[in-house]
Amino acid sequence: MSLLSALARMEAAACGRARPVATVRHRHLATNPLVLVPLTTAGENGAPLGVMLGTDRSAPEVFTVPQPRDRDLRFAFLGRLAEAMLPHLESCQDEVELVERKETDPETGKRVTVEAELCADAPQVLVPTGPGVDFVRLLGRSMRFRRTAEEDPGAEHPAPPRVPLLGRWLTHYGERARVPGSSLLLSMTGLLSRHWATGQSQLEDQHLGALLAWLAPPDGLGGAEAALRAELGRDARGQLLVPPAGPATDPAFDNELLAPAIARYDKGVPGAAQEVHELVASQLRPTWEAMWQGVDLLRALPEAAHVPDRWRRDRQSYTHHRDRLRAAEPPQPRRDDAVTAARKLAMREQRQAELDAQEALDDPLVMAVRRLAGEAFLAEVLEVEMAYSDGKRPSPRPLVTVHTQDVPLLSDGDKLHRQLPTGAQQRAELVEMAGPGEYVLRLVGGMGRGKEPAPGTVPEKGDLMCWTLFEHAPRGGPGLPEPEETPWTHGGPPGEPSAERPDPVTAEDVL
Amino acid sequence: MTAIVEPSGAVAPAERAADPGRAAAAATEAILADTLDGAHRGVVVDSPPGAGKSTLVVRAARELAAAGHPLMVIAQTNAQVDDLVDRLATADPQLPVGRLHSSEPRPYDPMLDRHPSVRTSAKPADLAGQDIVVSTAAKWAWVSAEEPWRHAIVDEAYQMRSDALLAVAGLFERALFVGDPGQLDPFSQVGVEQWTGQPHDPSTSAVSTLLAHNPALPQHRLPVSWRLPASAAELVSDAFYPYTPFRSGTGPGDRRLSFAAPADGSPVDAVLDEAADAGWGLLELPAARTPRTDPEAVGAVARLVHRMLEREGGTRSERDGGADGPGSALSADRIAVGTAHRDQAAAVRAALAELGGVNGAAAEVTVDTANRLQGREFDVTVVLHPLSGRPDATRFHLETGRLCVLASRHRHACVVVCRAGVAELLDEHPATEPVQLGPVSPAPDGWEAHQAVLARLARHRVRLE
């Protein structure tokens, strides 16, 4: 935890209200996000109990399973879920823009520019909590290897049409959610705690009700009191006033209300299915309202400058998945091979570094965190001395003496970076520590190609600017071998890619 | 959390012999035999701190080159590469060695220019024909070879990440992997749980992946630490290498640390005398929860260094005429301060400058984090305990490798500065990481290693009130 967020938490605890830790919104928020509130059955991770979903806060759809252990009912539920979610997930597939992309020509091996489609927008899915994101991933895993009657006429328990397809979409969204800064699938607790600090622990912040209690305490209550009420408050029947945001349910609800209702359904009592439906819906609705309250809070923040850049990558990811589906490729494999895993890790590390840099550039409050950590400093220019590099074509290498009151962790030769007013990047290196807080930097880039620096690229005496020790657009690593060239150290080539076999039906599947 | 990795029986029988020199030589011969003539594509060598890993790498490289096998050497940092090239060129001034470097400014240590047989370039083509080409894994990853090298040596292989090996493994046919399993594991800033326990988890160490896919490869280990004194080898071996024990190359009393000026009666001097006598010292500050850059602990570290220099320390060892020989002065460049975090190192540097002046001798002392002290050697180290003054024991601070690096840099003595109450802190923070199926770690549990070190340090405690 950074010094500033610790301070914000202490301030929040002292004043009883959440404190901002960001001045802008660092994640994309769609105009019409699909809000998805799933619940699962206690002790049966892969058995959904019900879901409330939709893009319209006043008209959510609710699906429930009266007996979650019944495989047929579960698949009927997943079939309905697919019919409800797929139109949204597929809604952005056809509106595209054409972009240029560098690609390696498979015949000549040269880098050539090709024109590619990029979907103009991508559907966003919001779930309440981090475990909700995991549940989306789990649903994806449980569905994508199923076979429909059409795919496998001999299957004993064919999945409803489109269920495997939904599995592939959810898998893609779940996997994309692991990429730092991505916004295709986000959790509300993650979004809110990125932008506000509460007076409770990070663990407690994972309770959506308690988190919102700090952000918008009901009249007359302090944050701590309201959060405690959200966590523990129960009505006369012993039921939580604010049910958990899932996917787990409250044991008191399970034991006292849900289990008897499911037992009545098992016995064939008329109306029992409806009873389960209403019970589950009663647990879903408060979270549904909380989700939209969170959306409202986030909408009040202006979007950060780099968010569209990162959202463009989400759109690319969405477009790639669309292309793979259209090319009738097999579902995502159960496990990554060595090369795919290494590529994913390299990409995510690059995105993480980029996200950290962009958030700091977009938001003075985030930059303050980096300044306090000694990774950036705000400096005033004391003097600029023009100098040139040696060599046949001398380039400008001005020496800039700056003074800062921050305490950067610098040593000789360190590279420094700053954003020019045009948005371009400028690099410098530390030449000398001239005195307390006084540094001599040599500008080494961002001044154009000419002998004289481009206008506005060299600071002037008295200018105030923020230098960072971290790069703003970190480069990617070197290429990795193709999977079919996996070296012996990593087990050799994974063999012919073949469509993975569907999951076998086990005794637990059919009760 | 961790599975025990049994060494694959490749331990030379001579190791049990009384003479550490002979045991080490026997191990080296077995390693070279497997490397030069073995039937396996890879050989793995585990080396405890200061066991002559660099000497082994230099020797293996020279023997391979002499046998007519040009080879590539992969190290992890530029400092390691420069050090290796310097050692190779010093050992054999005629040997054509290539130093492949980046195209950044000041890409390599200028000291390499004094070796006429060393050629440096940023382009692999310029170095074609050199017997040995050395570079970092990061630079090798950008090289594409039409014909792979017959041989490679991978240095610090336990600090190399699996994905870094994946990027370079296509460049060679067979390789000798050398490294220290007890030091800091490679890590990633992003979540990697989805691959945990899988044989090719890209965030694990190169050796883990290599052995998961090639379990039959011969595994050797160097049995003797020439750096660690007898007082330290036993503790470091027990706490950090319980599955691959090693011994010290010197016996008790073979090395001596002493101070010309007498103690002034202060706890700082008392703990220095204790460390000079026993090899370990613990300067314990009163229990408190402090910021990371605890001003009192940082001040105590600085005073320790300052007094060591002021009292004109001297060392005697097998290097300079034995325990009764003339010895050498304990100069500032033979002292290091190790911390867990960079801001702590910066605070210690500032405190040293304040005590001894910006250009004072104390400013020459190396002050750095465990990550940057890896692979380095000093006569005396002063360590700011990673858990000192903390309210919690996180995975970062518990990591075995961090403490192991800090506790195994010294030839004579190590003084630890710590707030009281770390044992209780450890008891209050049992490991809570979720258990994952499959991961194999050659390192012991951090919690246990910390307790073992604390128990030993408690015998050499001096309280600073």
Side-chain angles (χ1 to χ4, degrees):
Chain A
M1 193 163 45
S2 72
L3 204 57
L4 268 189
S5 71
L7 175 67
R9 275 180 190 279
M10 286 193 281
E11 283 181 352
C15 76
R17 269 188 94 94
R19 304 284 301 167
V21 289
T23 60
V24 285
R25 175 161 43 78
H26 291 287
R27 297 291 181 276
H28 177 83
L29 192 57
T31 322
N32 290 308
L34 177 79
V35 171
L36 174 73
V37 183
L39 284 182
T40 186
T41 311
E44 293 267 349
N45 264 350
L49 188 59
V51 58
M52 189 172 277
L53 81 164
T55 52
D56 181 354
R57 131 188 244 165
S58 59
E61 285 187 271
V62 186
F63 306 127
T64 57
V65 195
Q67 172 44 282
R69 294 201 186 91
D70 183 316
R71 192 176 183 284
D72 290 335
L73 292 176
R74 185 187 308 167
F75 272 86
F77 164 85
L78 293 174
R80 287 202 301 270
L81 185 65
E83 294 310 327
M85 279 190 87
L86 282 172
H88 183 72
L89 291 173
E90 291 171 340
S91 63
C92 299
Q93 290 192 103
D94 298 320
E95 202 178 311
V96 296
E97 55 192 70
L98 289 174
V99 291
E100 287 188 341
R101 195 171 69 197
K102 292 264 188 218
E103 227 173 52
T104 310
D105 187 310
E107 278 170 28
T108 61
K110 283 190 186 135
R111 299 286 284 173
V112 289
T113 306
V114 293
E115 211 162 62
E117 285 188 345
L118 175 64
C119 294
D121 199 2
Q124 185 179 42
V125 178
L126 299 178
V127 294
T129 59
V133 174
D134 294 339
F135 191 66
V136 167
R137 208 172 279 135
L138 183 73
L139 282 180
R141 171 64 184 82
S142 74
M143 288 190 272
R144 71 180 193 266
F145 295 113
R146 298 291 172 185
R147 290 288 179 273
T148 60
E150 199 179 306
E151 287 165 328
D152 181 5
E156 219 178 316
H157 299 282
R162 312 248 285 165
V163 160
L165 182 62
L166 178 64
R168 297 176 64 174
W169 275 109
L170 294 187
T171 301
H172 183 73
Y173 270 60
E175 196 66 3
R176 181 72 193 165
R178 298 190 199 264
V179 177
S182 71
S183 296
L184 281 188
L185 169 64
L186 289 168
S187 75
M188 187 52 70
T189 50
L191 274 170
L192 295 176
S193 48
R194 172 67 198 87
H195 297 92
W196 287 278
T198 64
Q200 61 188 0
S201 74
Q202 280 156 329
L203 187 73
E204 290 164 305
D205 278 351
Q206 292 174 34
H207 189 300
L208 182 58
L211 183 56
L212 280 168
W214 280 95
L215 277 160
D219 291 330
L221 283 184
E225 210 179 334
L228 193 68
R229 192 174 149 267
E231 279 176 10
L232 300 178
R234 291 185 183 268
D235 62 14
R237 289 187 306 165
Q239 296 301 312
L240 283 172
L241 299 173
V242 181
T249 46
D250 174 40
F253 166 77
D254 288 347
N255 293 333
E256 282 156 39
L257 302 178
L258 185 62
I262 291 179
R264 280 194 287 281
Y265 173 82
D266 287 345
K267 281 190 204 138
V269 177
Q274 187 58 31
E275 195 192 344
V276 172
H277 181 84
E278 275 158 21
L279 277 174
V280 174
S282 74
Q283 296 289 296
L284 289 164
R285 192 166 302 275
T287 307
W288 172 264
E289 293 300 334
M291 288 293 285
W292 291 101
Q293 193 191 348
V295 169
D296 287 345
L297 286 166
L298 289 161
R299 278 214 205 286
L301 285 175
E303 187 178 73
H306 279 97
V307 165
D309 289 357
R310 294 199 294 272
W311 179 243
R312 187 188 159 87
R313 294 194 202 280
D314 283 320
R315 285 159 51 205
Q316 264 164 358
S317 159
Y318 176 81
T319 313
H320 286 164
H321 185 64
R322 176 203 73 159
D323 293 345
R324 281 192 292 269
L325 290 177
R326 288 188 174 170
E329 287 185 21
Q332 299 93 329
R334 290 182 172 86
R335 287 182 167 196
D336 294 326
D337 59 66
V339 173
T340 307
R343 280 185 181 157
K344 280 185 182 175
L345 179 60
M347 184 267 276
R348 288 177 199 170
E349 288 184 321
Q350 194 192 348
R351 296 285 166 265
Q352 179 71 59
E354 185 185 89
L355 175 68
D356 291 344
Q358 292 181 346
E359 286 190 349
L361 293 173
D362 290 347
D363 189 341
L365 206 46
V366 181
M367 188 60 95
V369 171
R370 308 298 291 265
R371 284 168 59 193
L372 280 170
E375 297 168 331
F377 58 97
L378 189 68
E380 188 192 340
V381 176
L382 297 182
E383 203 185 327
V384 182
E385 185 191 330
M386 208 48 210
Y388 292 88
S389 65
D390 306 331
K392 270 179 266 173
R393 284 188 57 227
S395 322
R397 292 285 180 266
L399 291 170
V400 181
T401 309
V402 299
H403 179 264
T404 178
Q405 297 187 350
D406 297 340
V407 190
L409 296 175
L410 277 171
S411 53
D412 268 341
D414 273 354
K415 294 188 181 63
L416 295 162
H417 310 265
R418 74 157 175 144
Q419 200 171 30
L420 292 170
T422 57
Q425 249 198 78
Q426 182 160 60
R427 269 198 320 139
E429 50 190 38
L430 180 64
V431 182
E432 195 194 335
M433 301 195 219
E438 213 171 295
Y439 301 96
V440 182
L441 319 177
R442 181 186 293 118
L443 303 187
V444 296
M447 291 170 287
R449 293 176 172 273
K451 187 175 182 298
E452 292 308 318
T457 59
V458 176
E460 285 169 19
K461 187 170 158 58
D463 283 0
L464 207 59
M465 58 189 55
C466 195
W467 288 96
T468 69
L469 279 73
F470 50 86
E471 273 188 79
H472 298 178
R475 282 179 305 166
L480 289 162
E482 291 301 318
E484 56 270 23
E485 286 161 18
T486 307
W488 61 277
T489 53
H490 287 65
E496 278 300 301
S498 57
E500 293 203 38
R501 298 171 59 81
D503 285 328
V505 175
T506 65
E508 286 79 25
D509 278 334
V510 199
L511 285 176
Chain B
M1 190 157 67
T2 54
I4 295 173
V5 182
E6 291 291 340
S8 68
V11 179
E15 185 196 319
R16 284 185 288 274
D19 181 9
R22 212 179 304 153
T28 307
E29 292 312 319
I31 294 161
L32 290 172
D34 267 345
T35 306
L36 285 160
D37 315 308
H40 293 279
R41 294 191 77 171
V43 177
V44 177
V45 178
D46 288 1
S47 164
K53 184 167 58 64
S54 305
T55 314
L56 172 73
V57 170
V58 168
R59 180 144 172 229
R62 289 179 61 200
E63 296 212 3
L64 281 168
H69 303 303
L71 78 153
M72 60 184 287
V73 181
I74 305 164
Q76 308 313 314
T77 66
N78 278 308
Q80 287 165 3
V81 171
D82 290 334
D83 181 56
L84 257 180
V85 172
D86 184 46
R87 281 169 189 259
L88 278 166
T90 309
D92 183 353
Q94 315 299 317
L95 189 67
V97 180
R99 161 63 161 115
L100 181 63
H101 59 72
S102 70
S103 35
E104 302 271 303
R106 285 186 300 279
Y108 63 90
D109 193 328
M111 68 155 177
L112 296 185
D113 292 334
R114 62 169 200 241
H115 298 294
S117 64
V118 171
R119 190 185 291 176
T120 60
S121 175
K123 297 197 189 95
D126 294 347
L127 302 175
Q130 299 295 101
D131 281 3
I132 302 174
V133 181
V134 193
S135 193
T136 58
K139 176 67 182 174
W140 278 120
W142 293 98
V143 174
S144 58
E146 284 172 18
E147 184 98 340
W149 267 267
R150 287 278 307 283
H151 285 274
I153 296 179
V154 181
D155 194 13
E156 300 289 2
Y158 282 93
Q159 275 69 60
M160 183 182 198
R161 239 170 50 175
S162 166
D163 54 352
L165 178 63
L166 178 63
V168 299
L171 294 173
F172 54 79
E173 286 175 3
R174 41 173 55 224
L176 170 66
F177 296 85
V178 187
D180 180 348
Q183 300 213 356
L184 286 160
D185 286 333
F187 64 97
S188 173
Q189 303 279 5
V190 301
V192 291
E193 315 77 44
Q194 78 182 112
W195 302 297
T196 307
Q198 293 182 25
H200 51 248
D201 176 355
S203 68
T204 189
S205 90
V207 180
S208 304
T209 295
L210 177 77
L211 290 176
H213 286 292
N214 304 275
L217 293 185
Q219 283 173 264
H220 295 272
R221 63 192 169 89
L222 297 174
V224 179
S225 171
W226 300 104
R227 172 194 309 150
L228 291 177
S231 58
E234 192 190 345
L235 172 63
V236 173
S237 176
D238 287 352
F240 302 107
Y241 300 84
Y243 317 127
T244 53
F246 63 91
R247 58 202 276 200
S248 161
T250 52
D254 285 356
R255 289 186 187 161
R256 278 195 197 162
L257 168 66
S258 55
F259 296 100
D264 61 6
S266 68
V268 167
D269 276 16
V271 80
L272 285 177
D273 286 342
E274 174 67 24
D277 195 42
W280 294 102
L282 169 65
L283 184 63
E284 194 178 80
L285 278 68
R289 287 188 182 177
T290 65
R292 232 157 55 176
T293 50
D294 179 359
E296 288 173 29
V298 164
V301 168
R303 277 206 304 285
L304 278 167
V305 172
H306 193 64
R307 280 299 287 165
M308 248 189 277
L309 294 167
E310 220 171 43
R311 291 177 65 192
E312 294 176 7
T315 57
R316 294 189 183 85
S317 75
E318 69 286 355
R319 279 193 190 164
D320 40 26
D324 301 312
S328 358
L330 177 64
S331 50
D333 61 327
R334 299 303 307 152
I335 303 174
V337 176
T339 64
H341 294 281
R342 284 186 65 189
D343 52 359
Q344 293 172 332
V348 171
R349 275 187 220 115
L352 282 172
E354 207 169 292
L355 264 179
V358 180
N359 298 317
E364 302 286 304
V365 169
T366 304
V367 184
D368 236 322
T369 56
N371 300 55
R372 287 160 183 245
L373 289 177
Q374 284 192 94
R376 303 192 59 184
E377 177 178 297
F378 301 89
D379 280 339
V380 182
T381 55
V382 180
V383 172
L384 182 55
H385 196 285
L387 292 170
S388 174
R390 285 196 67 81
D392 59 354
T394 68
R395 194 178 179 182
F396 173 90
H397 299 95
L398 276 182
E399 191 180 345
T400 340
R402 183 156 284 105
L403 187 62
C404 179
V405 168
L406 293 172
S408 62
R409 301 299 99 204
H410 61 283
R411 282 174 53 82
H412 286 270
C414 172
V415 185
V416 178
V417 176
C418 189
R419 292 267 170 195
V422 169
E424 292 76 16
L425 176 71
L426 284 169
D427 287 344
E428 283 163 13
H429 287 84
T432 52
E433 298 297 326
V435 175
Q436 305 266 10
L437 295 179
V440 171
S441 165
D445 181 48
W447 193 89
E448 213 173 303
H450 265 276
Q451 292 284 23
V453 172
L454 277 178
R456 174 62 192 258
L457 286 175
R459 283 154 47 187
H460 310 287
R461 172 162 51 199
V462 175
R463 290 204 167 87
L464 180 71
E465 297 302 338

